[in-house]
Amino acid sequence: MALPKKKTVRAAAAQIAPDLDSEGGTLARVLETVHEAGCRGVELIVFPETFVPYYPYFSFVQPPARQGADHLLLMQRAPTVPGPMTEAVAAAARQAGMVVVLGVNERDHGSLYNTQLVFDADGRLVLKRRKITPTYHERMVWGQGDGSGLKAVDTAVGRVGALACWEHYNPLARYALMADHEQIHCAQFPGSLVGPIFAEQMGVTIRHHALESGCFVVNATGWLHDEQVRRLMPDEALQGALRGGCHSAIVSPEGKYLAEPLTEGEGLVVADLDLALIDKRKRMMDSVGHYARPELLSLAIRRDAASTTRPLAAPEPALLSDDIPLPPEAA
């Protein structure tokens, strides 16, 4: 019996700087990068957390009383989903024949959300999910997500799942994607934040998930140029809070780096994913299969989308006294 043909996927993690000066500048960078990656044969690309229009770095270094103007500007520049931004990315994905995973600040009327979008290679938006709980300073900027997008989706490159930043420290959120049999996990972090320790912790986190899930992990972090750091925080004593924390990388199901992680500057981390490695890993340890004990330990997920309203059933009409039926013996 002939063995199935080996399937490989060329993946890329994009570490690039956002445009802090214009509404459409970062989107233009996304489209250029998709085209560049397509010329290199990339079939899946992952961009950093809330990359469009930019991650709210201001919220990490400014006190709440000073954040108003920057928060409003971010809201004004944030895209709606669907909208012109999603149409542009969908067209780029379709033209390149590439699966695109993009982090955006999604505007939904008067609120912003940390949203992850997955576009299939034909341009269809196959997943929109919101970060379940914004982390620390982010709670001043974004609303909470729900479980409706906590799932893996079928794409041209396989089953793809996604989590943002410290959601990777929520073992139940990770298990939800593991149980949905993700083959390629797309991780997104802001980059240029916290310092070198953030990058070190990130490396441990994504390698552990690759091993535990038996999947590939493609992790993208953002990058800030020195001028952008100085602009966001003029106080030199606090500029260190906006440096380091970059670790764009691709990890195999065996926990190995498939390319040198990018920790400084801009660029693409590119590697070929041999999907046969998933079976090689899971043959020995399938956390949601033969190595699981569902009769002892299991996960309950509420997958309906959160809503501020819900319909109530109409009350039964009241019967008038004349409408009350008489018993048979009195008829």
Side-chain angles (χ1 to χ4, degrees):
M1 179 178 175
L3 293 174
K5 185 178 179 181
K6 182 178 70 172
K7 177 168 175 56
T8 61
V9 172
R10 178 158 293 183
Q15 183 167 294
I16 54 179
D19 185 335
L20 302 177
D21 298 314
S22 66
E23 183 173 349
T26 303
L27 175 59
R29 297 220 65 191
V30 169
L31 302 180
E32 291 168 2
T33 304
V34 169
H35 176 72
E36 174 192 343
C39 293
R40 297 174 61 177
V42 169
E43 300 164 271
L44 164 71
I45 189 167
V46 181
F47 288 92
E49 180 180 13
T50 60
F51 188 61
V52 175
Y54 43 78
Y55 178 84
Y57 293 101
F58 63 84
S59 64
F60 190 60
V61 293
Q62 291 185 12
R66 292 186 177 179
Q67 292 183 24
D70 287 323
H71 195 177
L72 282 171
L73 183 61
L74 179 63
M75 180 175 286
Q76 292 164 6
R77 292 177 174 176
T80 57
V81 179
M85 181 276 298
T86 58
E87 292 175 3
V89 177
R94 184 167 51 249
Q95 183 175 9
M98 188 184 306
V99 176
V100 177
V101 182
L102 179 65
V104 304
N105 292 269
E106 177 198 1
R107 179 166 183 173
D108 188 349
H109 299 282
S111 295
L112 292 178
Y113 295 91
N114 178 331
T115 298
Q116 295 177 291
L117 305 175
V118 178
F119 297 85
D120 208 348
D122 60 4
R124 290 180 301 119
L125 180 61
V126 292
L127 180 67
K128 184 191 89 166
R129 69 167 303 267
R130 293 170 174 175
K131 187 174 182 179
I132 297 171
T133 301
T135 305
Y136 192 48
H137 59 285
E138 296 170 353
R139 295 175 194 173
M140 295 289 295
V141 178
W142 298 319
Q144 293 183 318
D146 55 44
S148 61
L150 198 57
K151 60 185 178 181
V153 291
D154 290 319
T155 72
V157 297
R159 279 185 77 73
V160 169
L163 290 175
C165 202
W166 276 17
E167 287 188 312
H168 291 88
Y169 291 157
N170 185 326
L172 298 184
R174 291 193 305 106
Y175 193 80
L177 298 183
M178 292 163 59
D180 215 14
H181 309 293
E182 63 176 358
Q183 295 174 295
I184 304 173
H185 178 80
C186 301
Q188 298 174 313
F189 287 76
S192 293
L193 204 69
V194 180
I197 192 172
F198 197 20
E200 294 169 10
Q201 293 171 346
M202 200 183 305
V204 173
T205 300
I206 61 175
R207 291 180 71 189
H208 174 74
H209 183 70
L211 284 166
E212 194 172 69
S213 181
C215 72
F216 291 90
V217 176
V218 182
N219 182 60
T221 58
W223 170 257
L224 291 176
H225 296 294
D226 284 343
E227 183 277 328
Q228 292 176 312
V229 171
R230 291 191 293 268
R231 173 178 165 184
L232 288 164
M233 176 41 62
D235 185 348
E236 290 186 10
L238 293 177
Q239 288 177 1
L242 297 177
R243 299 187 190 278
C246 295
H247 195 84
S248 293
I250 300 177
V251 182
S252 81
E254 298 175 314
K256 298 179 180 179
Y257 288 114
L258 297 180
E260 185 69 23
L262 185 60
T263 59
E264 295 282 337
E266 295 185 280
L268 291 178
V269 178
V270 179
D272 291 328
L273 316 184
D274 178 2
L275 298 187
L277 289 177
I278 296 174
D279 287 344
K280 182 181 177 183
R281 172 65 178 168
K282 290 193 172 184
R283 178 185 69 83
M284 298 182 65
M285 199 283 293
D286 184 358
S287 293
V288 295
H290 62 78
Y291 207 66
R293 289 294 303 277
E295 78 281 12
L296 301 179
L297 303 167
S298 61
L299 172 64
I301 307 174
R302 182 170 181 175
R303 291 200 185 276
D304 55 315
S307 176
T308 52
T309 62
R310 61 186 178 92
L312 290 176
E316 294 292 333
L319 292 175
L320 299 176
S321 59
D322 292 344
D323 295 331
I324 299 175
L326 293 174
E329 60 273 14

